[in-house]
Amino acid sequence: MPTPHEAEKQNTGPEEADRPPSMSSHDAAPPAAPSRNPCCLCWCCCCSCSWNEERRRAWQASRESKLQPLPSCEVCATPSAEEVQSWAQSFDKLMHSPAGRSVFRAFLRTEYSEENMLFWLACEELKAEANQHMVDEKARLIYEDYVSILSPREVSLDSRVREGINKKMQEPSAHTFDDAQLQIYTLMHRDSYPRFLSSPTYRALLLQGPSRSSSEA
């Protein structure tokens, strides 16, 4: 006559009979890791999923391992009173003056738009480059610093210009960013330049000019 335990085993199906005994609360397996969010398959950075976080960390590590490729400042002499006054005549005169660019850049920094000047300067540096290897490297760094949506210094460009840049980056040249540079130049001219002329920074330079000239005489 079968024992109660053997009878219980006979009443269970073959699958249940071969099943290992249930684990106690101390032997319970750890919970399964959550499945990857479907948004991780997208190429953009519209979400904060782990895949995009890894991309951001990789970009940061890449930037930290490089030397700064762009001019951090311009060496220029103290502008004369006449030069300071000429900056109000046209935006071109301001941008063609090293001292003017330096003062304007400091003003842009107060408006949290210094990246516009930095991008413009980087494009000027790229256009002066003749070595194709350096052109490729500088173009890539400009893209990472000012065009990539991952960059904290991304400049404001319309979709048409961005699409053109993405195509040209397949074979970069010294003029890959010409359309973007013109767009940012126009933005600074129309938006920031009028405020610069009426800013305390520029007015103070105008007031200092005559006194400095008379003291030097």
Side-chain angles (χ1 to χ4, degrees):
M1 180 174 180
T3 64
H5 176 71
E6 292 174 343
E8 181 180 356
K9 186 173 181 180
Q10 290 175 358
N11 293 333
T12 59
E15 294 180 358
E16 293 183 3
D18 296 334
R19 183 180 302 168
S22 60
M23 294 181 292
S24 66
S25 60
H26 297 288
D27 299 328
S35 59
R36 169 174 278 189
N37 192 316
C39 71
C40 296
L41 300 178
C42 66
W43 61 267
C44 66
C45 293
C46 57
C47 59
S48 58
C49 60
S50 60
W51 186 69
N52 278 326
E53 288 300 326
E54 291 174 2
R55 288 182 67 195
R56 291 188 181 95
R57 285 195 293 269
W59 181 87
Q60 291 286 357
S62 174
R63 292 301 303 126
E64 291 173 359
S65 66
K66 299 185 184 80
L67 294 176
Q68 287 293 335
L70 307 176
S72 58
C73 63
E74 291 187 282
V75 178
C76 52
T78 302
S80 64
E82 292 75 14
E83 184 177 2
V84 172
Q85 292 171 2
S86 71
W87 299 344
Q89 297 174 10
S90 72
F91 186 57
D92 287 343
K93 289 188 176 181
L94 172 67
M95 292 295 284
H96 279 87
S97 163
R101 289 193 298 268
S102 179
V103 173
F104 186 54
R105 176 183 167 184
F107 169 76
L108 292 177
R109 190 180 301 122
T110 65
E111 295 199 332
Y112 305 99
S113 58
E114 183 186 12
E115 66 275 3
N116 290 332
M117 175 63 79
L118 291 175
F119 173 70
W120 187 88
L121 290 171
C123 292
E124 288 293 292
E125 183 178 312
L126 177 64
K127 289 192 292 187
E129 184 59 63
N131 183 288
Q132 185 57 45
H133 175 73
M134 293 302 300
V135 166
D136 292 345
E137 179 68 9
K138 288 183 178 182
R140 182 174 61 83
L141 290 172
I142 291 174
Y143 187 93
E144 290 178 357
D145 278 349
Y146 302 108
V147 181
S148 171
I149 59 175
L150 294 174
S151 174
R153 294 192 294 183
E154 177 191 4
V155 296
S156 179
L157 301 171
D158 62 38
S159 58
R160 177 189 63 83
V161 171
R162 284 184 176 276
E163 183 178 354
I165 291 175
N166 289 334
K167 291 179 179 178
K168 293 175 182 177
M169 283 300 293
Q170 298 176 9
E171 294 183 6
S173 73
H175 299 280
T176 293
F177 301 98
D178 281 3
D179 290 343
Q181 185 186 22
L182 177 61
Q183 189 169 92
I184 295 302
Y185 185 91
T186 303
L187 175 65
M188 291 190 293
H189 184 191
R190 294 179 178 176
D191 185 55
S192 303
Y193 177 59
R195 291 197 298 273
F196 168 72
L197 295 180
S198 59
S199 69
T201 300
Y202 182 63
R203 292 184 179 277
L205 286 174
L206 288 176
L207 294 175
Q208 291 174 8
S211 60
R212 182 171 61 242
S213 300
S214 59
S215 63
E216 292 175 355

